[in-house]
Amino acid sequence: MEGLKLSLAWILLLLAASSMASAAIVEHTFHVKNLTVSRLCKRQVITAVNGSLPGPTLLVREGDTLVVHVVNQSPHNITIHWHGIFQRMSQWSDGPSMITQCPIQPGQKYTYRFTVTGQEGTLWWHAHASFLRATVYGALVIRPRDGHSYPFPKPDKEIPILLGEWWNADVVELENIAVATGVPPNNSDAYTINGLPGDLYPCSKDRMFSLRVVKGKRYLLRIINAAMNIQMFFKIANHKLTVVTVDAVYTNPYVTDVIVIAPGQTVDAILLADQSVGSYYMAARAYNSAPAVPFPNTTTRAVLHYSGGASTSTRSRGRGRVLMPRLPSFFDTPTAHRFYSNLTSHVGARHWVPVPRHVDEEMLVTVGLGLEACTDNATCPNGPKFSASMNNHSFVLPTTLSVMQAAFYRVGRVFTADFPDQPPVKFDYTNPNITQLNPPLLFAPKKTSVKVLRFNATVEMVLQNTALVAAESHPMHLHGFNFHVLGQGFGNYDPNRDRKNLNFFDPQFRNTLAVPVGGWAVIRFTADNPGAWVMHCHIDVHLPFGLGMVFLVENGPTPSTMLPPPPPDLPQC
Ligand SMILES: *[C@@H]1O[C@H](CO)[C@@H](O)[C@H](O)[C@H]1NC(C)=O
Ligand SMILES: *[C@@H]1O[C@H](CO)[C@@H](O)[C@H](O)[C@H]1NC(C)=O
Ligand SMILES: *[C@@H]1O[C@H](CO)[C@@H](O)[C@H](O)[C@H]1NC(C)=O
Ligand SMILES: *[C@@H]1O[C@H](CO)[C@@H](O)[C@H](O)[C@H]1NC(C)=O
Ligand SMILES: *[C@@H]1O[C@H](CO)[C@@H](O)[C@H](O)[C@H]1NC(C)=O
Ligand SMILES: *[C@@H]1O[C@H](CO)[C@@H](O)[C@H](O)[C@H]1NC(C)=O
Ligand SMILES: *[C@@H]1O[C@H](CO)[C@@H](O)[C@H](O)[C@H]1NC(C)=O
Ligand SMILES: *[C@@H]1O[C@H](CO)[C@@H](O)[C@H](O)[C@H]1NC(C)=O
Ligand SMILES: *[C@@H]1O[C@H](CO)[C@@H](O)[C@H](O)[C@H]1NC(C)=O
Ligand SMILES: *[C@@H]1O[C@H](CO)[C@@H](O)[C@H](O)[C@H]1NC(C)=O
Ligand SMILES: [Cu+2]
């Protein structure tokens, strides 16, 4: 009897253990502090997590709870955003500075705690205060939970590929200057792959990411665009890639020789090592949708070595045997559009969400650059400042309290609830001559405005790029939700022409979308997550210029659909 009881107890314990194994608590500490690194022949003090650039890759399984203790030992205010994570019932862990929390000040700490459910693939984490995400970022890899497999052939190995941007400068100072002068910051000095510029830059021959592959094997590249201000083309010489996931949502397999990826987006693609044994470069450079805008036109590269091939890259290069891919032109909008618009979701894959059919809130929102009204030369010594807006509201972060705290504690005068559903002035949005025809259109008032949504409301938003100053593709990122991308096109959105071509069956479902240059996109999402969720351009310099707004989603009817109170360690302003 005793023995039977004991073994029963053991069985129960084992059962408990195995169910825990499928939903673990993954705990980490991030020490944010100065790090001196050498890049491009210079030594530079940067802010980094745990002394590495990029920071640590976090590995979880779907269903796990992540607990990250962030200890700020840097001289800067900081927050960490878990890009693409829904943060249901953990809204205070989203991270954008002054939206869901005040920053973690130097010497302080804060614990982010959230469960990762309903998404599989690659997401990432990054600083969401000033320009610090230039060096404070890393991958967040979400594998299927135990007993589940990928809806594509199992890769032999998984490799994060983080595209980044590097300045030989203090990036916080760079931002301060950009914001004070209203001029975009200096071009970055290099692009990077996994923190390394690669051999096309000075002093970087040995600072090149290298990937050893075995012929016949399959590699899952988890590609993240962590660059600050630029969309990128990515290619590997002689190899095709099969896209299987974007923004942690499974796609129908899409075979391509070039990946196009906007800041904030992720693309998981399978690389089959099916070429002859040898060495091949993988390279990335800018896709600049607005040719008149200055941009860094350099190229980062890494190298793919087949085992059994030439053992050092220098030797191969000496013999001219490392093949370089031919990247598209910087201004190749057709190639970018083909890639961006050809991706479709894998209907029926785990976590697939059908398009909601009923719409409660219809919005048409203009996105684009403008100018800041300049009253005297003292505030604008360099002439008019750049500004940016959505529906002619140029977003300003609050300074005294975060939006979500103000909403939770009902503190007035932190924000206004007047974000418009339609552009306040209708005009020919994408007409390149519009500014000459009507100069005052350029000047959007500065606002901290939110759009209040009833819990569970379905929102359809047409994002319409404007040609004020210049038409440009803006990668729009929504916190707290994925949205369906029903359609994209060029020119002004015309419901009579465009609505019949929308995809309600298998559209992309993602958190960041590059609105086509001088064009539009239609997105839809269900606001079933109470809280304050910022939607903003992921070109980092456009956010302080004002390209953002906030959705304030009201509480639902049950405790599990209500914004919980903030955790006791939420940083104070
Ligand atoms: C970061 O560094 C700290 C201290 O060295 C260590 O305890 C922690 O495990 C590291 N975290 C990660 C995610 O590597
Ligand atoms: C970190 O770097 C900054 C900028 O170089 C410097 O001002 C500061 O003193 C450094 N802090 C520490 C603790 O080393
Ligand atoms: C920006 O570039 C200019 C010209 O190269 C240089 O003089 C200046 O120091 C740079 N600014 C920063 C913040 O690095
Ligand atoms: C990059 O821009 C510089 C300066 O405008 C120019 O001299 C150079 O030819 C360009 N390089 C490429 C690859 O386009
Ligand atoms: C990809 O998109 C282009 C237009 O951008 C279209 O012409 C083409 O048919 C699409 N291809 C596929 C496979 O969907
Ligand atoms: C501002 O400066 C410009 C040129 O620097 C000058 O032409 C203009 O008169 C100044 N305006 C005022 C209001 O001082
Ligand atoms: C813009 O102006 C130019 C020259 O004034 C003209 O050639 C062009 O047709 C105009 N474009 C539009 C869309 O009105
Ligand atoms: C934005 O608002 C300002 C101030 O009301 C107005 O002058 C301007 O024409 C508006 N611009 C647009 C594009 O609506
Ligand atoms: C949200 O709305 C959908 C229908 O649009 C409904 O099926 C669902 O039950 C609602 N969810 C909650 C939590 O109210
Ligand atoms: C850091 O955050 C605190 C609290 O919000 C704020 O008072 C302070 O001005 C911030 N410092 C900088 C340099 O932004
Ligand atoms: Cu932008």
Side-chain angles (χ1 to χ4, degrees), residues 254 334 337-339 341-344:
Y254 178 68
H337 187 65
R338 186 180 323 117
F339 181 86
S341 63
N342 278 175
L343 298 170
T344 51

Side-chain angles (χ1 to χ4, degrees), residues 243 245-247 249-252 254 260 265-267 336-347 352-355 482-488 503-514 522-524:
V243 176
T245 315
V246 296
D247 293 5
V249 175
Y250 293 120
T251 63
N252 291 315
Y254 178 68
V260 192
Q265 294 184 325
T266 65
V267 173
H337 187 65
R338 186 180 323 117
F339 181 86
Y340 284 144
S341 63
N342 278 175
L343 298 170
T344 51
S345 284
H346 183 164
V347 173
W352 164 245
V353 175
V355 179
N482 279 348
F483 48 76
H484 291 99
V485 184
L486 305 182
Q488 311 173 55
N503 176 0
F504 293 96
F505 172 62
D506 62 358
Q508 292 167 52
F509 189 51
R510 59 189 320 170
N511 66 58
T512 308
L513 157 78
V522 182
I523 65 170
R524 220 180 250 198

Side-chain angles (χ1 to χ4, degrees), residues 54-73:
T57 294
L58 301 182
L59 267 178
V60 299
R61 289 182 184 279
E62 194 266 332
D64 287 354
T65 296
L66 245 180
V67 177
V68 183
H69 309 286
V70 176
V71 184
N72 186 4
Q73 296 162 325

Side-chain angles (χ1 to χ4, degrees), residues 182-184 368-373 384-389 393-395 442-446 468-469 474 541-547:
V183 176
L369 299 182
L371 296 177
E372 192 174 324
K385 297 177 174 185
F386 277 104
S387 178
S389 64
H393 282 206
S394 184
F395 187 74
L442 282 167
F443 302 97
K446 296 285 173 190
L468 296 169
V469 180
H474 297 276
V541 68
H542 290 175
L543 182 53
F545 286 172
L547 222 169

Side-chain angles (χ1 to χ4, degrees), residues 50 80 156 211 418 489:
N50 276 22
I80 303 287
D156 295 291
L211 177 62
D418 60 347

Side-chain angles (χ1 to χ4, degrees), residues 181-507:
T181 58
V183 176
N186 284 359
N187 279 345
S188 57
D189 296 289
Y191 297 111
T192 57
I193 295 178
N194 292 341
L196 302 169
D199 62 354
L200 291 173
Y201 295 98
C203 307
S204 303
K205 288 210 184 331
D206 300 322
R207 294 203 175 90
M208 176 156 68
F209 177 67
S210 139
L211 177 62
R212 198 156 274 287
V213 299
V214 175
K215 192 171 164 73
K217 294 209 184 267
R218 242 173 250 284
Y219 299 83
L220 181 64
L221 305 185
R222 297 177 174 277
I223 307 164
I224 299 168
N225 188 347
M228 297 294 277
N229 297 321
I230 201 89
Q231 301 184 37
M232 303 204 79
F233 292 119
F234 172 86
K235 261 180 109 158
I236 304 178
N238 279 26
H239 290 76
K240 286 210 174 351
L241 294 162
T242 305
V243 176
V244 290
T245 315
V246 296
D247 293 5
V249 175
Y250 293 120
T251 63
N252 291 315
Y254 178 68
V255 180
T256 178
D257 65 343
V258 60
I259 302 284
V260 192
I261 186 166
Q265 294 184 325
T266 65
V267 173
D268 293 359
I270 294 191
L271 162 72
L272 178 61
D274 61 355
Q275 293 300 302
S276 45
V277 169
S279 297
Y280 304 84
Y281 282 116
M282 56 174 93
R285 70 174 188 179
Y287 159 50
N288 179 4
S289 65
V293 174
F295 71 104
N297 65 5
T298 59
T299 303
T300 178
R301 63 187 185 184
V303 66
L304 191 76
H305 291 298
Y306 277 68
S307 286
S311 61
T312 73
S313 59
T314 9
R315 176 149 36 108
S316 329
R317 210 173 31 246
R319 296 183 190 168
R321 281 198 293 139
V322 185
L323 289 181
M324 180 67 181
R326 248 179 88 93
L327 288 154
S329 123
F330 298 117
F331 313 111
D332 191 346
T333 289
T335 293
H337 187 65
R338 186 180 323 117
F339 181 86
Y340 284 144
S341 63
N342 278 175
L343 298 170
T344 51
S345 284
H346 183 164
V347 173
R350 263 194 310 284
H351 316 305
W352 164 245
V353 175
V355 179
R357 282 314 176 108
H358 167 82
V359 173
D360 300 299
E361 300 272 356
E362 283 186 44
M363 302 177 77
L364 169 62
V365 178
T366 57
V367 293
L369 299 182
L371 296 177
E372 192 174 324
C374 205
T375 43
D376 60 78
N377 279 357
T379 49
C380 313
N382 309 319
K385 297 177 174 185
F386 277 104
S387 178
S389 64
M390 295 176 72
N391 269 354
N392 207 37
H393 282 206
S394 184
F395 187 74
V396 191
L397 288 171
T399 52
T400 53
L401 201 58
S402 71
V403 172
M404 200 155 76
Q405 283 168 293
F408 184 82
Y409 292 113
R410 302 181 182 283
V411 177
R413 285 196 272 284
V414 173
F415 60 82
T416 54
D418 60 347
F419 184 81
D421 288 348
Q422 299 289 321
V425 180
K426 308 266 177 209
F427 59 101
D428 184 4
Y429 308 113
T430 51
N431 182 338
N433 300 338
I434 195 70
T435 307
Q436 292 138 44
L437 300 171
N438 190 350
L441 284 177
L442 282 167
F443 302 97
K446 296 285 173 190
K447 295 265 199 174
T448 305
S449 58
V450 311
K451 161 78 182 167
V452 177
L453 293 175
R454 250 185 22 260
F455 174 77
N456 212 20
T458 300
V459 181
E460 180 177 288
M461 187 193 274
V462 177
L463 289 155
Q464 175 68 61
N465 185 215
T466 64
L468 296 169
V469 180
E472 181 174 355
S473 171
H474 297 276
M476 299 303 297
H477 171 49
L478 175 61
H479 290 222
F481 307 93
N482 279 348
F483 48 76
H484 291 99
V485 184
L486 305 182
Q488 311 173 55
F490 295 97
N492 296 337
Y493 177 69
D494 174 357
N496 296 324
R497 179 195 58 194
D498 298 323
R499 180 152 288 273
K500 60 178 180 292
N501 298 324
L502 299 184
N503 176 0
F504 293 96
F505 172 62
D506 62 358

Side-chain angles (χ1 to χ4, degrees), residues 77 103 105 573:
N77 283 347
Q105 294 179 43
C573 278

